[in-house]
């Protein structure tokens, strides 16, 4: 951290220490106590959750704080949509959904929806409700029909779709990805030299923990 602060100073950049914090992640991060981190004599606070580029990152990496934040942000549209659903044409209502709801759900969905179904359920239920209101459908209308009408996907499937888009770019447009992802995935043929039908597939290591199964490298390879 001292080297990082020095790099900022040498390059005439300022690090706002009042807005700087840190978290400890990992299976036993809650057992880690007694850390006192200082930068240039300024005490840095240890937090369970912090906001970075519009995404709330919690130390458990369960994304519950982020989901709750956006749930509270989107729920206000419920009453608004009830008032406008009979006053505007469907094509305009569809545009409103993608402008005020879908954009929030899509932003960072690759990581924010990478959690347990239990944590994600409240956002999925709210999204279903908003779609039903805008389309003026009864509660008997199947959720799949709601998404088909607007040509979109539920949150958990949108997460999978965005991961597949990332993998497509890795395979066909790798130069457009940040350099850190140049060798992110490993193909079977680089692990063994058997001429099998799966030689060009991504190699997946054996993972036991639920956290490991949610890792992009493992989950993306499986998809």
């Amino acid at each position: 951290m001292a080297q990082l602060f020095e790099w900022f100073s040498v390059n005439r950049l300022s690090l706002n220490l009042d807005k700087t914090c840190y978290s400890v992640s990992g299976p036993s991060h809650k057992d880690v106590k007694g850390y006192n981190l200082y930068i240039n004599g300024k005490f840095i606070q240890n937090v369970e959750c912090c906001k970075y580029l519009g995404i709330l990152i919690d130390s458990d990496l369960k994304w519950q704080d982020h989901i709750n934040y956006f749930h509270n942000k989107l729920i206000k549209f419920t009453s608004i949509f009830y008032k406008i659903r009979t006053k505007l044409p469907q094509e305009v209502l569809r545009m409103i959904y993608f402008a005020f709801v879908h954009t929030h759900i899509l932003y960072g969905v690759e990581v924010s929806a990478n959690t347990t179904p239990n944590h994600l359920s409240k956002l999925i239920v709210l999204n279903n409700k908003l779609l039903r209101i805008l389309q003026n459908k009864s509660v008997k209308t199947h959720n799949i029909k709601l998404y088909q009408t607007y040509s979109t996907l539920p949150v958990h499937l949108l997460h999978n779709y965005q991961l597949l888009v990332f993998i497509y770019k890795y395979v066909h447009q790798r130069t457009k990805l940040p350099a850190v992802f140049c060798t992110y995935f490993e193909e079977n043929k680089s692990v063994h030299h058997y001429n099998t039908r799966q030689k060009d597939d991504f190699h997946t290591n054996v993972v036991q923990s639920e956290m490991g199964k949610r890792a992009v490298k493992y989950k993306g390879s499986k998809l």
Side-chain angles (χ1 to χ4, degrees):
M1 293 304 300
Q3 290 177 343
L4 180 61
F5 183 80
E6 182 182 359
W7 185 92
F8 270 83
S9 301
V10 169
N11 288 276
R12 298 184 179 182
L13 298 171
S14 60
L15 178 63
N16 191 333
L17 297 176
D18 292 326
K19 293 184 178 180
T20 300
C21 58
Y22 78 96
S23 293
V24 181
S25 298
S28 57
H29 72 277
K30 291 184 179 179
D31 298 329
V32 179
K33 296 180 180 179
Y35 274 113
N36 289 318
L37 180 62
Y38 292 87
I39 302 177
N40 197 34
K42 176 77 174 181
F43 177 73
I44 306 301
Q45 186 180 6
N46 180 13
V47 298
E48 292 294 321
C49 181
C50 67
K51 192 174 185 179
Y52 182 69
L53 297 178
I55 295 180
L56 291 169
I57 306 173
D58 60 281
S59 56
D60 290 321
L61 297 180
K62 293 181 178 178
W63 310 106
Q64 191 168 6
D65 294 280
H66 181 81
I67 292 169
N68 290 339
Y69 172 73
F70 274 104
H71 179 272
N72 294 334
K73 197 170 186 178
L74 296 176
I75 200 169
K76 66 182 181 182
F77 290 112
T78 305
S79 59
I80 298 173
F81 288 173
Y82 268 122
K83 294 175 182 176
I84 66 172
R85 66 176 179 175
T86 58
K87 295 178 171 59
L88 296 172
Q90 267 302 316
E91 57 267 24
V92 175
L93 293 174
R94 185 179 185 275
M95 291 172 61
I96 288 173
Y97 169 79
F98 279 95
F100 293 100
V101 179
H102 188 265
T103 50
H104 289 302
I105 294 174
L106 185 64
Y107 180 69
V109 73
E110 296 90 340
V111 292
S112 61
N114 196 7
T115 185
T116 62
N118 183 47
H119 290 151
L120 202 59
S121 61
K122 64 186 303 181
L123 190 59
I124 294 175
V125 170
L126 177 60
N127 195 34
N128 294 344
K129 184 176 183 178
L130 294 175
L131 285 170
R132 183 170 283 106
I133 295 170
L134 286 175
Q135 296 177 29
N136 202 10
K137 300 293 185 181
S138 69
V139 292
K140 295 181 179 180
T141 305
H142 202 285
N143 292 332
I144 294 177
K145 184 65 177 176
L146 301 174
Y147 287 96
Q148 287 177 341
T149 301
Y150 277 10
S151 299
T152 186
L153 294 167
V155 181
H156 62 291
L157 294 182
L158 195 62
H159 163 72
N160 290 347
Y161 174 77
Q162 289 300 112
L163 285 185
L164 289 170
V165 169
F166 167 67
I167 291 176
Y168 176 87
K169 290 179 180 178
Y170 180 86
V171 175
H172 300 286
Q173 302 170 350
R174 198 173 307 183
T175 56
K176 295 183 179 181
L177 292 175
V180 69
F181 293 117
C182 287
T183 57
Y184 193 67
F185 293 100
E186 194 175 28
E187 295 176 345
N188 284 329
K189 60 185 176 184
S190 66
V191 178
H192 61 75
H193 301 289
Y194 301 111
N195 189 21
T196 62
R197 286 179 294 181
Q198 291 82 28
K199 65 179 181 179
D200 294 321
D201 292 347
F202 289 137
H203 180 72
T204 53
N205 295 312
V206 178
V207 175
Q208 301 295 338
S209 67
E210 291 302 316
M211 178 72 76
K213 291 177 182 178
R214 281 167 36 208
V216 171
K217 187 175 291 187
Y218 178 85
K219 193 172 185 178
S221 298
K222 284 290 186 180
L223 286 171

